[in-house]
Structure formats: C-alpha cells, structure tokens
Amino acid sequence: DIQMTQSPSTLSASVGDRVTITCRTSQSISKWLAWYQQKPGKAPKVLIYESSTLESAVPSRFSGSGSGTEFTLTISSLQPDDSATYYCQQYNAYNPTFGGGTKVEIK
Amino acid sequence: EVHLVESGGGLVQPGGSLRLSCAVSRSSLSTLIIGWVRRAPGKGLEWVSTISGIDGATYYADSVEGRFTISRDNSRNTVYLQMNSLTAEDTAIYYCTKEGYTSARCGAFDIWGQGTMVTVSS
C-alpha cells in the first residue's frame, strides 16, 4: 500500500492567516490526490481533486498543488468556517489511502 | 445529484455480524462505483471496500479482507456491506461514498452519506 504522511497533525492560526498543509506519499502518484474537509458530526467533503482542481462551489481561498510524492493544500486567508480536520487521499492505485489528518483551529 | 443514505448500524458483540445498507437515489446504481469509508473514534479516515455497479468488481482493505463482503442489488439501487467476525477495531462511523474521480485504477469520492455508527462491544 502507498503510505501517506500528512503534516502538521494540528495547527492553530488566526483569521486571515495563510495556512499550508503538506501530504507526502511513499511512492509517486502523479497527480492523483484529493483533499477533504471534515467538520465534527458531518461527513467529509471533497475540496480538491487531481491535486489542484477545485471542486465546484468550494471557495477560491482553497488551492492545491504538487505532483509525484509531495503535495500541499493552502488556505490563502483563513476564515472561521475553515475550522475542521483536513485529509489527503491518494487514488493512484488500490488500496486508496488517506493521510492521518490535520486539525485546523482558529486562534 | 446522487444521494446516499446508510442504514443498519448498531451495537454488536465481538465475533458477531452486521449488514449495512446504502440506498442510492437520483441515479442508477448500474452506472456508479460505490465505496465504504470508516472513521474510528479518535482516528482518521480509512477506506474499507468498493464495488462497481457497472461490472460488479469488488475491492477490499487488507484489514477487512475475508471478513467483510460488499454486494449490490441494482434493482433496489442498494449496496450492502456484510460484516462478519467483528472486533472492537471495527468500531467506527461507516460512510457510503460515490467515486467521482478516477485515475482509471482507483478513485476518490465526491458524494458521501451521513454515516452509520457501528459499535462492537460486549
């Protein structure tokens, strides 16, 4: 299985801050990476797929980049509604695997 | 837009069995690929299993291979997850998901159900 290393595991930032989350894979997955947001008591919601394509209706402050083994999710200006846990997921090959998650807290 | 509704969760003793259902609406299951993803308390997301409504191909995580069986009934537009030999490590919220993006080998998920809780405890 492809191993996913996501960092940091938690971060605390202020409204308006630029926030970056990193996901590294144990082998190259080309562009086949998705990012999800999950809030307490809710199902995950896809934000980005194919590393950098924004899902429809997702605010443009979210962006994704990377290819191969290193990927980033950036929130350009953190908003109170962005308090959540974020996961990366590779879908280059079975089994699809998720990163351990990053909990984003608002200071 | 496709809508997914899970049911069948509950409390079961270790070694017991449970069958989860995922009712698919607003699209025909025969055109979709549906998966199950779980989240154990205090842990992250874990993919469990996937079935193609198109050709019936099935895939399983190593942690459930041989114990869980995914199946579909296209006439009822429903996907099932039969879970046997359950242990405490299977305690989790189980989400039914639709594969919306693919690398042609594997997929990511664009639609999720609300989840159903499975608790394995004596």
Side-chain angles (χ1 to χ4, degrees):
Chain A
D1 289 3
I2 296 173
Q3 308 304 313
M4 312 289 286
T5 303
Q6 189 175 336
S7 61
S9 56
T10 62
L11 73 85
S12 181
S14 300
V15 171
D17 282 354
R18 182 181 183 87
V19 167
T20 298
I21 299 169
T22 298
C23 186
R24 292 185 174 87
T25 59
S26 60
Q27 60 186 267
S28 177
I29 60 168
S30 185
K31 62 179 178 178
W32 307 114
L33 187 107
W35 290 97
Y36 301 87
Q37 176 193 65
Q38 186 174 30
K39 296 182 177 181
K42 301 290 189 181
K45 168 189 167 184
V46 65
L47 300 174
I48 288 168
Y49 60 96
E50 286 185 21
S51 175
S52 61
T53 303
L54 205 63
E55 172 75 344
S56 68
V58 172
S60 59
R61 63 180 180 273
F62 291 93
S63 64
S65 65
S67 67
T69 62
E70 187 154 338
F71 301 84
T72 59
L73 172 71
T74 299
I75 308 173
S76 61
S77 177
L78 191 67
Q79 299 301 304
D81 189 52
D82 301 336
S83 178
T85 300
Y86 294 82
Y87 296 92
C88 56
Q89 180 226 331
Q90 69 80 20
Y91 55 108
N92 182 66
Y94 276 99
N95 304 332
T97 41
F98 291 88
T102 296
K103 186 174 183 179
V104 174
E105 299 172 340
I106 310 295
K107 281 183 186 173
Chain B
E1 182 176 277
V2 172
H3 191 54
L4 306 173
V5 178
E6 304 94 335
S7 60
L11 175 64
V12 61
Q13 292 191 336
S17 299
L18 209 57
R19 188 179 81 160
L20 305 183
S21 299
C22 173
V24 179
S25 58
R26 304 176 194 163
S27 183
S28 171
L29 180 55
S30 64
T31 66
L32 303 177
I33 298 173
I34 299 293
W36 290 92
V37 174
R38 66 186 181 184
R39 184 176 183 184
K43 302 228 173 140
L45 299 172
E46 179 190 18
W47 169 77
V48 173
S49 183
T50 292
I51 186 166
S52 169
I54 304 165
D55 61 9
T58 59
Y59 306 86
Y60 298 94
D62 291 346
S63 58
V64 307
E65 179 89 55
R67 301 187 299 123
F68 289 13
T69 302
I70 193 170
S71 61
R72 78 201 197 281
D73 184 337
N74 285 2
S75 66
R76 295 179 183 271
N77 242 31
T78 300
V79 171
Y80 303 98
L81 186 69
Q82 177 67 43
M83 305 186 296
N84 298 331
S85 302
L86 287 162
T87 73
E89 287 65 46
D90 297 312
T91 294
I93 299 173
Y94 285 73
Y95 296 99
C96 179
T97 68
K98 169 189 158 295
E99 187 177 283
Y101 318 106
T102 179
S103 64
R105 293 173 295 279
C106 187
F109 308 105
D110 62 343
I111 305 292
W112 297 65
Q114 84 286 354
T116 187
M117 184 69 204
V118 172
T119 303
V120 184
S121 175
S122 55

